[in-house]
Amino acid sequence: MEKKPHFVRREFLPREVPSISLALLLAAVLLLNALLYLYLNKFHNSLGHVETDPGLCPFGHFRLGAVKNCSPWLSCEAINKEVRKLKCVGEGAVKKVFLSEWKEKKVVLSQLSNSELKEDFLHGLKMLKALQSKHVVRLLGYCEQQFTILTEYHPLGSLRGLNETLHIPKYKGMNTWHRRLMLAIDYVSVIRYLHSSPLGTLVMCDSNDLDKVLSQYLLTSDFHVLVNDLDALPLVNRSAGRLVKCGHRELRGEFVAPEQRWPYGEDVPFEDELMPPYDEKTDIWKIPDVSDFFLGHVEGSDIVRLHLFDIHAACKKKDPVERPSAQEVLDTYRKVLTLLIREAAMPGAREML
């Protein structure tokens, strides 16, 4: 009789403890799933399934900084009167870029630098006006007569300086596989937006090498990617049989898509008239190389690359028809991010269950 209490404890306690532990574990998993769902829902909304930012002003207007009211794009008169150049911060084939000041706010003033490229400059302005969205740098004003464009200033500059920025003590906390993958998702989101833009299917032609691609995009202070340079953005119109060619010179190297290279061998001199046109799938070919730059060499980036291997292999198909669309690439990137965040949030949960 004295051993009976001891017998009861040996018989029932081991069964009760695992059931309580299992219930707690299941509750924790459910809670983590709920938190993950809320996080990813917020994340996808921030990426913008809807391309236009609800915070954007009506067409022809802008809002700068913390100002609540929208202002009309600045005219020639306003730019000449109210904008003060501070210093030249860059010069390309088409335009010079000046850090400037407007009403005590830093802005960017771009001016035509080569009169032979007026058409390119005006095309870039036309694209900038028509494509205003969360993916495109904010237009503040322009003066066609003086070939001048005024845009929002982003102090972190172009994506060429990404790795240097991530080594600044202030931003070292951003140097993770998670943040880098989100930047790659932003980049693919821009490509998807251009391929399904309000104007039709647009091809990012200023992209003949990695450095050139990175120079076309800006890194915002809250670590998002904006396209900045839209001078070379031709339109594909399949129904009208219209394809594109990125310039009139021969393109070489593995970075550009196979269909962008001269197809008739070294023995036949390049002639622009004989060069076959192509479509937006040239942008898809370049995505793996640009994403590889984004992912860098931080802890976890090789795991991300492993998960993206199949979609990147598909992007590198020689036949452009076999490559995925930008939407398909974007969907895959988002799925990989969701999967990896879930695994990071619940390490070992599957084995415990």
Side-chain angles (χ1 to χ4, degrees):
M1 293 294 290
E2 293 177 4
K3 293 183 180 180
K4 190 171 182 180
H6 182 63
F7 173 79
V8 170
R9 284 164 59 193
R10 288 180 61 190
E11 180 69 24
F12 293 103
L13 193 57
R15 292 183 182 179
E16 291 172 358
V17 171
S19 64
I20 293 171
S21 299
L22 185 59
L24 290 172
L25 179 59
L26 285 170
V29 169
L30 289 171
L31 178 61
L32 282 171
N33 271 318
L35 292 172
L36 184 62
Y37 172 80
L38 291 171
Y39 170 80
L40 291 172
N41 187 54
K42 182 180 178 182
F43 167 74
H44 286 313
N45 287 337
S46 73
L47 284 175
H49 290 304
V50 178
E51 297 303 342
T52 54
D53 186 341
L56 285 175
C57 295
F59 182 80
H61 295 72
F62 71 91
R63 182 190 291 120
L64 198 58
V67 177
K68 291 183 179 180
N69 297 326
C70 295
S71 303
W73 286 337
L74 300 187
S75 63
C76 296
E77 183 183 1
I79 290 174
N80 291 332
K81 220 184 251 191
E82 301 172 16
V83 177
R84 182 170 66 95
K85 289 182 187 175
L86 299 178
K87 63 177 179 178
C88 181
V89 292
E91 183 173 2
V94 179
K95 53 187 178 284
K96 273 188 177 180
V97 180
F98 297 89
L99 175 63
S100 304
E101 194 174 58
W102 175 70
K103 294 188 176 180
E104 299 183 347
K105 294 182 178 68
K106 286 188 171 63
V107 293
V108 174
L109 188 74
S110 301
Q111 292 184 316
L112 180 69
S113 61
N114 184 344
S115 58
E116 294 179 1
L117 298 174
K118 287 179 183 178
E119 287 186 14
D120 296 82
F121 184 91
L122 293 175
H123 177 75
L125 173 58
K126 177 185 174 183
M127 294 294 106
L128 196 52
K129 288 194 288 184
L131 298 175
Q132 285 295 289
S133 72
K134 66 180 296 174
H135 301 296
V136 178
V137 70
R138 188 168 299 164
L139 178 64
L140 308 181
Y142 62 92
C143 180
E144 282 193 40
Q145 298 94 312
Q146 297 172 9
F147 297 97
T148 299
I149 300 173
L150 194 70
T151 54
E152 187 174 13
Y153 172 63
H154 292 280
L156 295 183
S158 81
L159 287 176
R160 282 190 295 192
L162 174 63
N163 288 323
E164 289 75 12
T165 297
L166 289 170
H167 282 97
I168 297 172
K170 180 181 177 181
Y171 298 111
K172 276 189 175 180
M174 297 286 197
N175 196 16
T176 63
W177 69 263
H178 171 250
R179 179 58 63 175
R180 284 176 169 271
L181 178 54
M182 288 175 71
L183 289 174
I185 289 173
D186 269 1
Y187 164 72
V188 178
S189 296
V190 174
I191 298 298
R192 191 276 308 270
Y193 176 64
L194 295 178
H195 288 185
S196 56
S197 83
L199 301 176
T201 302
L202 299 166
V203 181
M204 194 67 177
C205 265
D206 260 345
S207 57
N208 298 334
D209 58 63
L210 179 61
D211 192 63
K212 186 65 174 172
V213 170
L214 298 175
S215 72
Q216 309 302 303
Y217 296 85
L218 295 171
L219 179 65
T220 67
S221 296
D222 59 349
F223 270 69
H224 285 284
V225 174
L226 297 175
V227 63
N228 180 51
D229 196 329
L230 303 173
D231 295 344
L233 212 60
L235 179 69
V236 169
N237 188 337
R238 284 192 185 80
S239 60
R242 184 195 300 165
L243 299 177
V244 304
K245 286 192 285 187
C246 291
H248 304 288
R249 292 180 293 180
E250 182 177 3
L251 301 178
R252 296 175 178 268
E254 292 299 313
F255 188 83
V256 296
E259 64 270 23
Q260 292 184 281
R261 301 173 213 152
W262 180 243
Y264 303 117
E266 296 289 338
D267 297 333
V268 181
F270 177 83
E271 287 187 47
D272 184 42
E273 294 77 12
L274 298 178
M275 180 67 199
Y278 33 84
D279 63 17
E280 77 280 3
K281 289 298 184 74
T282 57
D283 290 333
I284 304 300
W285 171 272
K286 297 160 189 173
I287 286 175
D289 298 293
V290 181
S291 289
D292 189 61
F293 167 80
F294 276 121
L295 293 174
H297 300 285
V298 297
E299 184 180 354
S301 62
D302 285 342
I303 299 297
V304 179
R305 286 185 177 89
L306 186 62
H307 280 83
L308 295 176
F309 180 85
D310 288 341
I311 192 68
H312 283 172
C315 291
K316 290 294 188 179
K317 294 279 188 182
K318 187 171 183 180
D319 183 352
V321 175
E322 295 181 7
R323 294 175 207 152
S325 66
Q327 182 65 63
E328 289 170 321
V329 178
L330 182 58
D331 289 343
T332 302
Y333 274 42
R334 286 172 170 166
K335 286 176 185 174
V336 167
L337 178 64
T338 300
L339 173 67
L340 292 176
I341 290 175
R342 182 177 288 124
E343 289 181 353
M346 297 181 291
R350 184 180 301 171
E351 291 78 0
M352 292 170 71
L353 288 171

